[in-house]
Amino acid sequence: MELLKIKLKKSASAMLLMLTIFISLFSVMCVANAHTPPYLDVPTHCYAAVSSETIGISQEVLFVFWLDWVPPTSTGAMGDRWNFYLDLTTPNGKNETLGPYKSDSVGGSYIAYTPDQLGTYSFVARFPGQKLTGIPGAENNINVNDTYAPSTSAPVYLYVQEEPIYRYKESPLPDSYWTRPIYDTNRNWGAYAMGQWLGGAYYESLREKGIKNQAGPESSHILWTRSYTTGGVMGGPTEDQGYYTGIAYEGFSSPMLVLDGKAYYSIRYPPWYGWYCIDLYTGETIYYENNTIGNTGMPAFGEVLNYNSPNQHGGFSYLWRTSGVTLPTGTTTNTGTQVWEMLNSFTGDSICKIANVSTSGTQFIDSMGGICYLNFANLGTASSPNYYMQIWNSTEAVWWRPSYGVVPPKTLLNGTTNLPVTTTSNDYWMWRPGATAVSMSTTQAGAIYDGQNGYSMNVSVTSILGPSNSVLNQTGTIQELIPDQHVIVGAGGRNDERGVVPGFLRAYSLKQGEWGKILWDLSFTPPKATDAYLNSTYSGDSGGPVLSRVSSEDGIFTYREKVSGAIFAYSLTTAKQIWAITEDIQWYYYGLSASIHNGRVYTYGPGTALTAYNATTGAFLWNWSAPSMGYLESATTYPPLTLAFFVDETGREKVYFYSTEGTGLVSPVRRDGSIFCLDTNSGDLLWRLTCWPAYGNQRLGLPVISDSRILVLDVHDNQIYCIGKGLSATTVSAPQTVPALGNSITITGTVTDQSPSGRHDINGNLDLALKGTPAISDQDMDAWMEYMFHQRPKPTNAKGVEVFLNAIDPNGNYITIGNTTSDSYGNYGLAFTPDIPGTYQIIAMFKGSAAYGPSDATAYLTIGDEAPTQPPTQIQQTSIADTYFIPGIIAVILTVIIVGIALALMLKKRP
């Protein structure tokens, strides 16, 4: 799709500027009339501008230039383009001429320039004059042979200073809970944390190659669960037996496709059929589509098409259904092909269908987001091979019309490569899936396209047949594919008692203009097999060493031998063996794996430890084994490990593993399985969560990651789990009395989880809301999540999170109060003794963790003046007389008086 690969070379602001020029130029377009003889020396006016008149040294600036005429023969991608030169004078007086630069279809262009001198630059845009030819594709235009006179713009000046000019202040990268849509002024978010899991074979291949654009969870914090179907312990007479999980042979589906905040998973629990679209952020159902009759199957993968042409800029997201798609009666398809249906990802509505889809070869996603398959097809015979490298492209199949012509490397299936362009409009710059007739106003849907027109590449290449002998014939297969770079094909050969057949690897270019070119070609002797195979009975994985991995990034390829547990590494530069190791735990026989990623080789498998080696030297780096869950819980030396994916996050690369076992698992499911997250640099375990993913039935139940959240179906309870960073809330309070200066007060508050969902029960009810539950430390999160979601005992020693307390005192000074840790109920407290009276602003801050985003809060505290000092009480000294004699004399006198009064009363009563 070379006509569609029109990319933005610089910033969006430049495109807006060019759009302004586009509109202004259309306002002066002249309608050409037939004329004889041709017009000569038509006057022109050349214009120029700079995106910023002042710039810092080494900052990029845009020089923009245009003519007052639209090229008269220009029609869409066809016809003439103006040629320009830029005459530049640097601050040191040096003159330079830049160019030529070709205009766009409306007569303008721009370049990016980075000044390296201080002072004033000047530049002039110069149009040297031009005779119209109509090339390409407009040679019959009535304006051919007209000539346009030269013209030069007025000078434009650029001042370069030492200090850089102000740039847009970028928003920080997300460190908390977030949901789509993200306001698009927040640049770098998409590259950092907004990767999606679009499903299909290509995304499965990324598990080992590394998932980009994701901030992989560094905590086992669960955001929500929802039931896939009835699960867990049955109870009653069946006691501890579990409900059917399908894990032995069938396997259930988990959300194996995630697009634009929606997750999709199918129902494969007999006899149920259909699929769900659920909210990635809450787990709630958005819609359900029944597939009982088999014609509305679950989409196989999603697509985000990044479309840029002069008429349209931006992305479109779709779902693709690849099974159960029917065509109208009377429509036929070729044998061995499929019928696909494009769905609107926002609504699920049908847009169009493609018949005769070829899925032979290896799936990949091209630079636009199109779904592609690369295949090496022998168009000759076995004895006289004639190989072609073909790429089938979903975007090409929908977009292409015969009137658009055929431009190499595209070819029609019949080999046609020189079909001329017949359209006189620019409808090939419009993306209108569902329409048969394309225009700016097209609203049609429901078109059926012929997938035979979807080949964006079909080039002749050398044969991919490899060396052979009497017992082995080799045809190379695709070992590695890097879009727009190369594809490596090859075969492993053989080395045993029957003789040596060399292996080979060959790289073909996928770069523009070099399609199919051989970049390098290797032949090598494979490792010698441990056992002697004297006939052709034994072969493949059960025989000697087999070619297992090729990594051009790491410069090696590896062999694995099942019977000995040996891994052999070869150099992609010399084709020589550079190191070998042998694992000593004999469980390797049941599936030893060796993944190559970012300079390391990782070996793992059922019952073996995870070991990391230097990919170049084979030097041991570290090893790690999954922790035991208790006596007799594991049937193997260590819990089995299978790679979920590497996450290539800037700053900390992580790898995620999960536990699996072959067919034959019984109920209840064994208890030693988990999802594990490790730091690939150190081998340290970051978190572990009990889980046994559903993995049968074409791996539909494996963990996936999207928008930096992990989704997985755990057959222990048949619930889908979403793991990721949650929201937090911090509160703080201080006494609302006015304590006097010098008194100590206690600042209190809480830090809680504020994630909007939680654990849903079998009926879909939210029976455990996370909102308001305590925020727990990363160290205690694994056990806490199993307490919250797996009915495990509540941890008795769990800690909360660290809280930092500061204040702004009455004088406006920022002071540190201290830090403390909340408890397992979410509460915290810290004593504080203010040192001046007045009102304080208390600031409580939780800086965030691997499980929660940051939060903070404020409160106010008023401290009164110091309490007034009371004068000391004077204590009078008393004598012994004062203490004993005087009170005694007074008592005697009072007694005499009382007696005298009593006698007087008695005498008065006598007759």
Side-chain angles (χ1 to χ4, degrees):
M1 293 206 49
E2 293 306 309
L3 289 177
L4 284 180
K5 291 184 178 178
I6 300 171
K7 301 179 180 178
L8 290 174
K9 295 182 179 179
K10 294 297 171 184
S11 65
S13 61
M15 292 308 301
L16 290 174
L17 179 60
M18 294 310 296
L19 180 59
T20 304
I21 296 171
F22 180 98
I23 296 170
S24 65
L25 283 171
F26 264 113
S27 68
V28 298
M29 283 182 63
C30 297
V31 178
N33 298 308
H35 52 268
T36 302
Y39 297 151
L40 302 177
D41 293 327
V42 177
T44 65
H45 297 274
C46 189
Y47 300 91
V50 64
S51 60
S52 177
E53 294 180 348
T54 302
I55 200 77
I57 193 166
S58 298
Q59 286 189 304
E60 189 176 83
V61 69
L62 297 179
F63 290 154
V64 187
F65 39 94
W66 66 97
L67 210 61
D68 61 338
W69 286 91
V70 173
T73 60
S74 171
T75 303
M78 302 297 109
D80 290 278
R81 301 292 187 265
W82 300 134
N83 293 308
F84 294 93
Y85 291 87
L86 296 183
D87 296 325
L88 183 72
T89 302
T90 62
N92 63 8
K94 181 181 178 181
N95 295 319
E96 298 179 24
T97 296
L98 308 178
Y101 300 109
K102 192 176 291 293
S103 77
D104 58 20
S105 61
V106 294
S109 187
Y110 66 94
I111 67 164
Y113 185 80
T114 303
D116 58 4
Q117 298 177 29
L118 297 174
T120 300
Y121 287 74
S122 69
F123 83 94
V124 171
R126 176 166 49 88
F127 172 62
Q130 192 167 330
K131 182 178 180 179
L132 300 179
T133 65
I135 298 173
E139 293 87 345
N140 296 323
N141 189 284
I142 59 175
N143 297 291
V144 168
N145 293 323
D146 289 353
T147 61
Y148 284 74
S151 59
T152 302
S153 74
V156 175
Y157 299 97
L158 170 67
Y159 178 70
V160 180
Q161 62 186 24
E162 188 72 48
E163 301 79 17
I165 63 170
Y166 170 80
R167 302 198 65 165
Y168 189 92
K169 185 177 181 180
E170 299 291 350
S171 299
L173 293 174
D175 62 355
S176 185
Y177 180 94
W178 57 271
T179 61
R180 291 174 184 261
I182 298 299
Y183 205 67
D184 80 351
T185 60
N186 295 302
R187 307 293 162 78
N188 301 320
W189 281 44
Y192 174 69
M194 295 182 66
Q196 310 203 68
W197 192 274
L198 303 182
Y202 175 70
Y203 272 79
E204 287 299 315
S205 72
L206 295 181
R207 293 183 182 275
E208 184 170 330
K209 293 178 182 177
I211 310 297
K212 300 185 185 303
N213 315 127
Q214 303 277 4
E218 296 184 6
S219 164
S220 57
H221 181 260
I222 298 169
L223 290 169
W224 54 262
T225 67
R226 67 172 277 150
S227 290
Y228 174 90
T229 185
T230 305
V233 176
M234 289 190 290
T238 59
E239 299 181 348
D240 292 334
Q241 292 297 301
Y243 283 96
Y244 181 66
T245 65
I247 197 170
Y249 298 101
E250 293 182 287
F252 290 159
S253 167
S254 73
M256 43 74 73
L257 170 59
V258 191
L259 174 61
D260 296 340
K262 300 178 179 66
Y264 303 85
Y265 68 92
S266 59
I267 296 294
R268 299 184 185 275
Y269 187 90
W272 300 346
Y273 302 93
W275 53 279
Y276 281 94
C277 171
I278 65 174
D279 188 329
L280 172 63
Y281 310 121
T282 65
E284 297 175 355
T285 299
I286 298 176
Y287 62 84
Y288 169 76
E289 186 158 354
N290 191 298
N291 188 34
T292 302
I293 62 176
N295 63 350
T296 54
M298 176 180 161
F301 29 77
E303 176 184 11
V304 178
L305 184 69
N306 183 23
Y307 186 87
N308 280 296
S309 78
N311 287 352
Q312 292 174 280
H313 307 285
F316 301 88
S317 56
Y318 304 108
L319 299 169
W320 285 98
R321 197 190 329 257
T322 63
S323 62
V325 182
T326 58
L327 294 173
T329 303
T331 305
T332 60
T333 58
N334 296 333
T335 303
T337 63
Q338 296 181 352
V339 180
W340 286 10
E341 183 176 17
M342 176 193 282
L343 307 178
N344 183 311
S345 68
F346 193 76
T347 64
D349 296 331
S350 178
I351 296 175
C352 65
K353 296 179 181 179
I354 308 177
N356 297 316
V357 174
S358 172
T359 59
S360 299
T362 298
Q363 187 189 72
F364 70 96
I365 307 299
D366 70 8
S367 58
M368 291 179 59
I371 300 163
C372 304
Y373 289 85
L374 189 149
N375 185 43
F376 288 86
N378 184 5
L379 304 185
T381 63
S383 59
S384 181
N386 182 20
Y387 275 92
Y388 275 75
M389 184 170 67
Q390 301 176 336
I391 294 180
W392 186 89
N393 189 316
S394 63
T395 315
E396 188 85 4
V398 172
W399 167 82
W400 188 80
R401 308 286 189 276
S403 62
Y404 298 170
V406 173
V407 179
K410 178 179 171 60
T411 179
L412 299 183
L413 195 60
N414 62 9
T416 300
T417 60
N418 58 353
L419 192 67
V421 176
T422 59
T423 182
T424 58
S425 72
N426 63 2
D427 51 3
Y428 41 72
W429 281 343
M430 299 302 301
W431 174 248
R432 288 290 186 265
T436 53
V438 177
S439 70
M440 186 72 76
S441 59
T442 300
T443 59
Q444 181 186 4
I448 300 174
Y449 301 106
D450 186 354
Q452 294 182 104
N453 297 327
Y455 288 90
S456 59
M457 179 181 293
N458 190 9
V459 297
S460 177
V461 295
T462 57
S463 172
I464 62 171
L465 298 178
S468 62
N469 66 8
S470 59
V471 295
L472 179 64
N473 292 314
Q474 295 188 109
T475 300
T477 58
I478 295 175
Q479 303 293 328
E480 180 185 81
L481 194 161
I482 300 180
D484 299 321
Q485 296 297 317
H486 65 252
V487 57
I488 299 176
V489 299
R494 180 179 293 168
N495 184 358
D496 57 29
E497 296 300 323
R498 293 166 292 184
V500 176
V501 180
F504 81 100
L505 292 171
R506 183 178 302 130
Y508 296 93
S509 175
L510 297 178
K511 293 182 179 180
Q512 183 173 349
E514 298 181 358
W515 302 290
K517 175 184 176 182
I518 295 178
L519 301 176
W520 47 262
D521 204 339
L522 298 178
S523 178
F524 45 86
T525 301
K528 182 68 180 290
T530 297
D531 294 336
Y533 302 104
L534 302 181
N535 53 53
S536 59
T537 303
Y538 300 96
S539 62
D541 198 44
S542 61
V546 295
L547 183 63
S548 59
R549 298 287 192 276
V550 175
S551 174
S552 60
E553 180 182 356
D554 298 287
I556 68 167
F557 60 98
T558 58
Y559 281 82
R560 175 179 55 85
E561 187 176 47
K562 183 175 183 177
V563 298
S564 65
I567 304 292
F568 306 89
Y570 282 64
S571 167
L572 275 175
T573 302
T574 65
K576 303 295 184 182
Q577 182 179 319
I578 52 178
W579 55 266
I581 58 162
T582 300
E583 295 294 340
D584 58 1
I585 299 177
Q586 297 184 42
W587 291 109
Y588 59 67
Y589 180 81
Y590 287 106
L592 177 65
S593 295
S595 295
I596 309 172
H597 185 75
N598 279 3
R600 299 184 183 93
V601 174
Y602 299 85
T603 62
Y604 53 91
T608 62
L610 170 65
T611 307
Y613 300 92
N614 182 287
T616 304
T617 66
F620 170 83
L621 298 176
W622 52 261
N623 65 3
W624 172 86
S625 56
S628 171
M629 293 293 104
Y631 177 62
L632 294 181
E633 292 298 330
S634 294
T636 53
T637 307
Y638 303 107
L641 296 175
T642 298
L643 175 68
F645 39 73
F646 292 92
V647 173
D648 292 340
E649 179 185 347
T650 301
R652 178 180 242 181
E653 181 188 287
K654 296 177 286 290
V655 62
Y656 298 81
F657 282 88
Y658 62 95
S659 301
T660 57
E661 187 183 9
T663 58
L665 278 176
V666 297
S667 176
V669 178
R670 55 190 286 183
R671 296 185 292 190
D672 62 334
S674 300
I675 294 180
F676 306 96
C677 173
L678 289 89
D679 184 313
T680 59
N681 290 317
S682 63
D684 293 337
L685 178 68
L686 300 181
W687 58 267
R688 182 206 67 83
L689 183 68
T690 297
C691 178
W692 198 279
Y695 66 92
N697 197 10
Q698 299 178 351
R699 299 164 62 89
L700 296 182
L702 301 189
V704 301
I705 183 169
S706 187
D707 284 358
S708 302
R709 297 158 168 89
I710 291 176
L711 292 173
V712 62
L713 172 60
D714 185 354
V715 297
H716 281 297
D717 56 5
N718 281 342
Q719 285 216 321
I720 298 167
Y721 284 73
C722 180
I723 301 169
K725 183 174 283 192
L727 282 167
S728 72
T730 297
T731 66
V732 62
S733 61
Q736 294 305 294
T737 58
V738 183
L741 184 67
N743 290 318
S744 177
I745 56 96
T746 299
I747 299 171
T748 61
T750 62
V751 185
T752 54
D753 192 333
Q754 294 293 304
S755 302
S757 189
R759 181 182 185 273
H760 290 80
D761 65 17
I762 189 66
N763 299 314
N765 302 308
L766 183 62
D767 69 343
L768 190 156
L770 290 174
K771 196 167 189 175
T773 60
I776 298 298
S777 70
D778 292 336
Q779 294 77 13
D780 297 309
M781 186 58 64
D782 297 350
W784 191 263
M785 287 294 100
E786 295 189 0
Y787 154 64
M788 296 277 281
F789 288 88
H790 295 171
Q791 297 90 39
R792 296 288 291 160
K794 181 178 181 179
T796 58
N797 58 349
K799 300 181 296 297
V801 297
E802 190 171 19
V803 183
F804 294 84
L805 292 168
N806 300 286
I808 298 176
D809 73 11
N811 294 328
N813 298 313
Y814 192 87
I815 61 175
T816 298
I817 297 174
N819 57 292
T820 186
T821 300
S822 60
D823 59 27
S824 62
Y825 295 91
N827 301 310
Y828 69 86
L830 186 67
F832 172 46
T833 303
D835 56 5
I836 59 173
T839 298
Y840 290 75
Q841 183 189 53
I842 308 298
I843 304 167
M845 180 185 304
F846 166 50
K847 295 182 179 181
S849 64
Y852 312 100
S855 57
D856 50 39
T858 62
Y860 290 86
L861 166 70
T862 299
I863 300 297
D865 293 330
E866 188 174 2
T869 302
Q870 297 294 325
T873 303
Q874 297 293 325
I875 301 176
Q876 186 175 3
Q877 297 294 327
T878 55
S879 64
I880 295 177
D882 292 335
T883 304
Y884 299 105
F885 293 113
I886 293 175
I889 293 170
I890 294 172
V892 171
I893 293 171
L894 289 174
T895 302
V896 171
I897 292 172
I898 291 170
V899 172
I901 293 171
L903 291 174
L905 290 174
M906 291 177 61
L907 290 174
K908 282 184 177 182
K909 291 181 179 180
R910 289 184 178 182

